[in-house]
């Protein structure tokens, strides 16, 4: 029987070096896509994005995500933070742009924006463990509501890389409710935490 993944919000940049590796979207993005306005994101290099993520991890306050390990080896990451930490969500079709009034600070709303699970550890419960940990992390740090923007795999057959928002079925199994459908294959889901 495989060792179940363990999760923690005490994330070190070296763990993300292992999870994100050196190629593919995670190694280029470093979970900065939603944290930076589009023009700013385009002007940064992957090394600069890594430095920003390292600074986010070292900053006072809640971690910007949770990491999963198996036998102390980092195998996955989930970005979760207050909605206000993600300026690009305001204009993202994926997040249902236009559902909120301009200037709406969404106080108390947190968002799950990204999952990365290393090859060789997919389909082993890592994503489910990360989402459970993200829910608890948001709850402990005072979130009233947690939002996600998953892919409905019954409508689309996404590649592994396209599943970085997570699968709708994983969110629904965790108790989230679908509140919007910005595109046929993309849902907006919410979980009330208090």
């Amino acid at each position: 029987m495989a060792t179940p993944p363990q999760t923690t919000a005490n994330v070190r940049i070296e763990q993300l070096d292992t999870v994100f590796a050196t190629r593919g979207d995670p190694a280029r993005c470093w979970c900065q896509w939603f944290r930076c306005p589009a023009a700013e994101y385009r002007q940064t290099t992957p090394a600069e994005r890594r430095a920003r993520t390292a600074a986010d991890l070292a900053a006072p306050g809640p971690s910007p995500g949770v990491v999963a390990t198996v036998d102390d080896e980092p195998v996955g990451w989930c970005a979760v933070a207050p909605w206000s930490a993600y300026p690009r969500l305001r204009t993202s079709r994926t997040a249902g742009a236009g559902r909120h009034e301009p200037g709406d600070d969404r106080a108390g709303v947190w968002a799950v924006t990204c999952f990365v699970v290393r090859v060789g550890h997919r389909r082993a419960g890592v994503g489910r463990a990360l989402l459970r940990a993200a829910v608890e992390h948001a709850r402990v740090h005072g979130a009233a509501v947690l939002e996600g923007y998953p892919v409905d795999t019954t409508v689309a057959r996404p590649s592994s890389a396209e599943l970085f928002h997570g699968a709708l079925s994983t969110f629904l199994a965790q108790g989230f409710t679908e509140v919007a459908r910005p595109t046929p294959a993309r849902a907006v889901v919410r979980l009330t935490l208090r």
Side-chain angles (χ1 to χ4, degrees):
M1 177 182 235
T3 304
Q6 302 297 308
T7 57
T8 183
N10 296 321
V11 183
R12 298 182 326 277
I13 193 66
E14 296 80 15
Q15 292 172 306
L16 296 187
D17 285 334
T18 301
V19 173
F20 293 177
T22 58
R23 61 183 176 84
D25 291 336
R28 287 187 295 274
C29 178
W30 283 92
C31 268
Q32 292 297 311
W33 176 260
F34 287 107
R35 293 181 82 84
C36 297
E40 185 179 327
Y41 181 85
R42 285 190 300 272
Q43 293 171 359
T44 59
T45 66
E48 290 167 329
R49 293 178 200 136
R50 180 192 181 277
R52 286 180 179 206
T53 298
D56 292 341
L57 290 170
S63 169
V66 294
V67 71
T69 59
V70 172
D71 297 328
D72 295 324
E73 177 186 357
V75 297
W77 158 261
C78 177
V80 57
W83 196 86
S84 59
Y86 300 116
R88 209 180 257 193
L89 285 179
R90 289 195 185 281
T91 58
S92 170
R93 275 189 30 188
T94 299
R99 291 186 312 117
H100 310 289
E101 297 295 320
D104 176 7
D105 68 3
R106 314 267 339 266
V109 177
W110 281 45
V112 172
T113 59
C114 185
F115 291 85
V116 179
V117 177
R118 288 177 49 204
V119 172
H121 298 278
R122 295 177 182 157
R123 298 180 182 253
V126 175
R128 288 187 302 275
L130 286 166
L131 184 56
R132 280 192 302 273
V135 168
E136 187 57 23
H137 182 60
R139 184 187 327 270
V140 164
H141 291 287
V145 172
L146 184 58
E147 215 171 67
Y149 317 100
V151 177
D152 185 344
T153 58
T154 67
V155 173
R157 308 255 334 135
S159 69
S160 295
E162 294 170 317
L163 276 173
F164 73 94
H165 288 293
L168 177 59
S169 59
T170 303
F171 281 85
L172 296 177
Q174 185 66 40
F176 284 75
T177 302
E178 184 175 331
V179 296
R181 189 62 79 124
T183 70
R186 199 68 76 165
V188 176
V189 294
R190 296 184 112 206
L191 179 66
T192 301
L193 301 177
R194 57 178 163 100

